[in-house]
Amino acid sequence: MTCFTSNGAIFKPHNAMFDVRVTMKYIIVTGGVLSGLGKGITASSIGRLLKGRGLTVTAVKIDPYLNCDAGTMSPFQHGEVYVLDDGGEVDLDLGNYERFLDLNLSSDHNITTGKVYKKVIEKERHGDYLGKTVQIIPHITNEIKENIKRVGEESGADIVLVELGGTVGDIESMPFLEAVRQLFRESGGNENCLFVHTTLVPILGVVGEQKTKPTQHSVKELRAIGIIPDVIVARGERVLEYDIKRKIALFCDVPMEAVVSAPDAESIYLVPSILEEQGLTDYILHKMRIYAPKHTMRKWNNFVKNIVMNMQNPCAEVEIAIAGKYTDLKDSYASHIEAFQHAGSEAQVKVKIRWIEGEDLDVQGATGLLKGIDGLLIPGGFGDRGTEGKIEAVKYAREKKIPLLGVCLGFQLAVVEYCRNVMKWEGANSSEFDSNTKYPVIDILPEQEDVTDMGATMRLGAHDIKLVPECLARDIYGGKATISERHRHRYEVNPEFIEQIEKSGLRFTGRSKDGIRMEIAELAKHPYFMAVQFHPEFKSRPENPSRTHLGLVRAAAEYKSKKKK
Ligand code: GLN
């Protein structure tokens, strides 16, 4: 594909046949008015649209908090901790980029204040600044810019999307805004660096009028910092009225076509087409002087078509219970929810989720709470709250032959349940929850005991898993002998008990490369008993759903249809 810049030079998208590449281009997405507007989805959608034009896109998420990464953050506050291939524990927005852009990012793609300051202080201690006074400008801002540029260069992408978390005006965002302002200048400005500002257009109660003042104020704030937005994405309940669009254009000094309406959507996967319909991709390409004609995104469009069908007129529907610990904040299970969307689209089955709090299972038992479900997911987690209830839930699914997917802690509890109720090992447990149990069937491996403040090192990131021949895992993974999935855990199946457990019927069909760690447990006499030590939800993509979630959805649909007969 040939793409041209304004001065006639050829701009080469990564997959093009030309060998000339002018410069890397940046799209910076900021947010105004309030947080939680869906900046990440806006940015991911823009990326998806540009990818649809044959450009290669990568993404950087900036989180202005002081934590170095999301590893120590509670899911109650920030939603799930998302894990990358390299073991980076990052903000869940990175998950949206990976899903929308079908990329595998590394932890360098998540920049936090903590990370930047740590690096600068290390350099200062090392004497790298040669006796100079170390200051926010230029040292912190340089570090931020270098990070962004390096990530872009290493990825070789045509476009680097940079999402600046938080809201314009926050004290902690200031150094980042200053850094991207400088980046604009250094990248050659205009056609090489575009600013997209996401704001809220609220509707005032009685009259139902769309109000532009918050947008005006946040744009003013941005301008005061020296950033002039090129595009304004207006979030709100409804589509922007024509006059309101015109007013925003006038007061914020952008052309009408640069004001884009992003009303609440039924599914995040509809956002790219909502933006595309308003001509946003063409506007951005024109502004950045890139010529990149449309071509069809067949797989993506098919995925979206099925998502819409599942919402409006589903061929089939299943109800899957998620028995977790953080069910009040659904973001804690964001990747599972998305994985079910992907799997549901592929299987053409609508997935309805029934949220079950592990502690309620402790008190009320599984029978009442799980009655009528077609499948069960026990997700990952830390700490013992609700674990007994989850063990009850596994028992229920095992005995009633309801399709079950156990993930990480869910895998460990499936093993515990089996040992207690089938092996009859009374009080069998994970040593995470009972350090005195006679049967520590889940335990810390001796080689892991380097004792950090967490008690042992966390096993993180993508690791290979060898699958035995002829097992359910091989079937659902398309016959592959080795797969790669992401991990985040400390405890393992205790090698002392493996032989006895396997003899009695719970097979470990997937193991780590060295054979020491058990990765998958299956029960032959069950329609779908799939317990996995890894987190398949993190690699699920719209066009390539998690195999284990897809397996669960398909098995649940079959279970439901048999139940009816
Ligand atoms: N708490 C368990 C462990 O550390 C499971 C972790 C998880 O589910 N992510 O091994």
Side-chain angles (χ1 to χ4, degrees):
M1 188 187 305
T2 326
C3 299
F4 297 98
T5 65
S6 56
N7 55 14
I10 295 165
F11 173 74
K12 174 197 154 279
H14 196 65
N15 66 351
M17 294 169 69
F18 290 89
D19 241 4
V20 195
R21 164 99 174 261
V22 176
T23 177
M24 192 154 33
K25 294 181 185 262
Y26 300 94
I27 297 181
I28 320 276
V29 181
T30 53
V33 187
L34 42 88
S35 61
L37 278 180
K39 248 189 331 258
I41 299 297
T42 305
S44 314
S45 300
I46 291 174
R48 178 72 233 185
L49 292 169
L50 294 171
K51 192 177 171 206
R53 297 294 183 97
L55 298 160
T56 55
V57 183
T58 193
V60 176
K61 169 81 200 289
I62 294 175
D63 286 306
Y65 45 65
L66 272 163
N67 307 57
C68 286
D69 62 37
T72 54
M73 288 177 145
S74 160
F76 281 125
Q77 271 202 8
H78 283 271
E80 90 187 350
V81 176
Y82 190 78
V83 181
L84 301 170
D85 270 349
D86 69 354
E89 297 170 281
V90 294
D91 187 89
L92 56 86
D93 268 336
L94 272 273
N96 285 324
Y97 290 113
E98 287 205 333
R99 289 186 280 265
F100 273 71
L101 301 173
D102 194 12
L103 287 175
N104 289 322
L105 300 173
S106 70
S107 33
D108 290 343
H109 291 249
N110 195 191
I111 303 174
T112 70
T113 299
K115 238 185 220 177
V116 173
Y117 273 72
K118 187 165 176 258
K119 196 69 201 276
V120 170
I121 290 168
E122 270 166 20
K123 283 187 183 171
E124 185 271 334
R125 292 290 83 190
H126 194 245
D128 293 0
Y129 297 115
L130 307 172
K132 289 202 187 93
T133 312
V134 182
Q135 294 179 299
I136 294 185
I137 305 172
H139 301 100
I140 294 289
T141 47
N142 281 352
E143 188 65 36
I144 296 168
K145 283 183 294 178
E146 275 163 30
N147 268 290
I148 297 174
K149 286 183 196 164
R150 195 182 50 243
V151 166
E153 268 153 27
E154 281 171 6
S155 73
D158 303 316
I159 309 264
V160 185
L161 271 169
V162 181
E163 179 197 344
L164 180 44
T167 308
V168 173
D170 294 348
I171 291 179
E172 48 184 21
S173 304
M174 286 302 189
F176 294 103
L177 284 162
E178 169 60 17
V180 292
R181 187 196 63 76
Q182 293 174 15
L183 190 67
F184 172 83
R185 188 69 48 224
E186 285 167 24
S187 65
N190 293 321
E191 66 195 52
N192 293 331
C193 188
L194 183 118
F195 287 99
V196 176
H197 189 55
T198 318
T199 75
L200 176 72
V201 175
I203 295 174
L204 214 60
V206 198
V207 260
E209 194 188 341
Q210 294 181 321
K211 305 301 279 182
T212 65
K213 198 67 92 189
T215 302
Q216 293 179 41
H217 278 295
S218 77
V219 169
K220 203 166 136 195
E221 191 107 35
L222 205 55
R223 285 174 165 267
I225 299 162
I227 293 174
I228 299 170
D230 299 287
V231 172
I232 292 178
V233 176
R235 288 279 297 110
E237 266 172 60
R238 292 201 311 256
V239 175
L240 284 186
E241 284 156 25
Y242 179 81
D243 282 349
I244 300 296
K245 236 184 192 187
R246 208 171 52 179
K247 194 168 172 188
I248 293 176
L250 180 67
F251 280 86
C252 302
D253 194 27
V254 289
M256 271 283 269
E257 64 263 42
V259 183
V260 180
S261 188
D264 294 345
E266 260 191 283
S267 160
I268 53 170
Y269 298 111
L270 298 180
V271 178
S273 52
I274 293 173
L275 304 181
E276 171 73 16
E277 277 160 19
Q278 297 173 73
L280 179 61
T281 328
D282 286 330
Y283 182 76
I284 290 176
L285 292 173
H286 166 77
K287 237 352 238 184
M288 300 192 96
R289 306 284 184 260
I290 302 169
Y291 170 71
K294 278 186 197 169
H295 62 254
T296 41
M297 307 189 278
R298 203 180 44 80
K299 256 184 131 180
W300 174 267
N301 291 342
N302 218 14
F303 160 72
V304 176
K305 194 185 89 211
N306 286 348
I307 288 275
V308 173
M309 187 178 74
N310 281 344
M311 283 188 308
Q312 294 171 356
N313 190 17
C315 305
E317 183 174 333
V318 293
E319 188 172 17
I320 290 181
I322 300 186
K325 173 175 166 188
Y326 318 100
T327 52
D328 279 344
L329 180 65
K330 307 287 182 277
D331 263 0
S332 311
Y333 300 108
S335 292
H336 282 296
I337 298 173
E338 297 313 320
F340 280 128
Q341 290 283 319
H342 310 156
S345 164
E346 171 114 8
Q348 301 196 356
V349 173
K350 177 178 180 165
V351 180
K352 194 173 150 203
I353 293 175
R354 187 189 298 183
W355 294 98
I356 310 273
E357 189 58 42
E359 268 188 329
D360 294 344
L361 281 165
D362 277 354
V363 183
Q364 299 171 38
T367 319
L369 290 171
L370 299 179
K371 198 162 186 253
I373 60 164
D374 308 307
L376 173 66
L377 166 73
I378 315 256
F382 293 83
D384 65 352
R385 204 162 54 75
T387 47
E388 288 302 316
K390 289 179 202 166
I391 293 172
E392 273 300 299
V394 174
K395 181 168 185 267
Y396 181 84
R398 182 177 56 77
E399 290 179 347
K400 299 245 179 294
K401 300 212 185 304
I402 296 169
L404 166 84
L405 173 60
V407 169
C408 206
L409 177 65
F411 161 86
Q412 298 172 355
L413 296 180
V415 174
V416 169
E417 189 282 325
Y418 189 84
C419 293
R420 282 190 194 175
N421 299 320
V422 181
M423 310 289 296
K424 305 286 180 212
W425 291 343
E426 204 181 316
N429 213 333
S430 161
S431 58
E432 183 180 5
F433 313 125
D434 180 1
S435 48
N436 300 318
T437 170
K438 212 171 133 199
Y439 300 102
V441 291
I442 305 292
D443 203 357
I444 293 212
L445 294 182
E447 53 267 53
Q448 277 179 285
E449 281 177 14
D450 85 350
V451 189
T452 61
D453 51 353
M454 303 280 279
T457 38
M458 188 90 86
R459 185 164 180 251
L460 288 165
H463 294 278
D464 279 350
I465 298 142
K466 283 187 308 188
L467 305 181
V468 302
E470 287 174 37
C471 63
L472 180 59
R474 275 239 190 175
D475 288 348
I476 63 171
Y477 277 93
K480 285 189 187 151
T482 306
I483 57 169
S484 170
E485 293 280 11
R486 296 179 185 171
H487 298 70
R488 184 175 186 247
H489 67 112
R490 282 169 289 149
Y491 290 82
E492 305 281 351
V493 177
N494 189 338
E496 262 183 54
F497 299 100
I498 291 171
E499 219 186 296
Q500 292 173 75
I501 296 174
E502 283 217 298
K503 261 196 198 139
S504 109
L506 186 71
R507 279 174 82 202
F508 294 109
T509 56
R511 295 176 187 221
S512 59
K513 256 182 156 174
D514 55 13
I516 294 169
R517 296 157 208 267
M518 300 303 106
E519 293 270 16
I520 305 178
E522 293 179 22
L523 261 186
K525 289 190 200 110
H526 191 284
Y528 193 83
F529 190 99
M530 176 60 49
V532 297
Q533 181 61 82
F534 48 83
H535 287 270
E537 70 275 21
F538 294 140
K539 294 233 302 204
S540 189
R541 302 282 195 266
E543 293 129 306
N544 188 14
S546 146
R547 310 317 292 174
T548 54
H549 290 71
L550 182 59
L552 178 65
V553 170
R554 286 195 169 133
E558 215 175 296
Y559 172 83
K560 187 177 174 180
S561 70
K562 278 195 188 138
K563 197 165 60 173
K564 268 194 199 153
K565 282 175 197 161

